[in-house]
Amino acid sequence: QVQLVESGGGLVQPGGSRRLSCAASGSIFSIYAMGWYRQAPGKQRELVAAITSDSTNYADSVKGRFTISRDNAKNTVYLQMNSLKPEDTAVYFCNAKDRKYGYWGQGTQVTVSS
């Protein structure tokens, strides 16, 4: 089992920045990929960014604005979000994958509004 706890959400003005954190605990030795997803009201959950030991990938809508990174010593994954737009407003979920399961955090709300 893997437990994920997100933090860092909140209200931010358009053009602003925010950093989300996802702390993993439990059977973390089995994780081979972690990522951030988001879900806006009335929309499906979508992949924002993902990271493995040797690669990262991003949704086209966030390329050049968002950066995913990890601190293995802290078992934490980050999502640095810059140049935020109102359409980035969503609940952001952390995800971790091992060879059998996918695990989810509880989500953190990010609202981009003036």
Side-chain angles (χ1 to χ4, degrees):
Q1 283 284 353
V2 174
Q3 294 79 44
L4 303 171
V5 178
E6 303 103 333
S7 61
L11 176 64
V12 61
Q13 292 189 339
S17 298
R18 200 82 178 181
R19 190 177 80 159
L20 305 182
S21 300
C22 173
S25 61
S27 301
I28 56 175
F29 60 90
S30 63
I31 296 172
Y32 71 90
M34 293 189 72
W36 288 95
Y37 289 70
R38 66 186 180 187
Q39 188 166 18
K43 294 188 176 182
Q44 289 188 329
R45 192 172 296 189
E46 62 175 357
L47 175 68
V48 176
I51 187 167
T52 66
S53 60
D54 58 1
S55 67
T56 58
N57 68 287
Y58 297 91
D60 288 343
S61 59
V62 306
K63 282 182 181 176
R65 300 189 297 123
F66 291 12
T67 303
I68 189 170
S69 62
R70 62 195 297 172
D71 184 333
N72 291 329
K74 295 182 179 180
N75 299 324
T76 299
V77 172
Y78 303 98
L79 185 68
Q80 178 66 45
M81 305 184 293
N82 299 327
S83 302
L84 282 161
K85 304 175 182 180
E87 50 263 43
D88 294 317
T89 295
V91 178
Y92 284 71
F93 296 91
C94 181
N95 174 268
K97 291 183 173 58
D98 62 24
R99 297 301 174 186
K100 293 185 67 176
Y101 302 111
Y103 303 91
W104 294 95
Q106 82 285 357
T108 185
Q109 175 73 45
V110 174
T111 302
V112 184
S113 175
S114 54

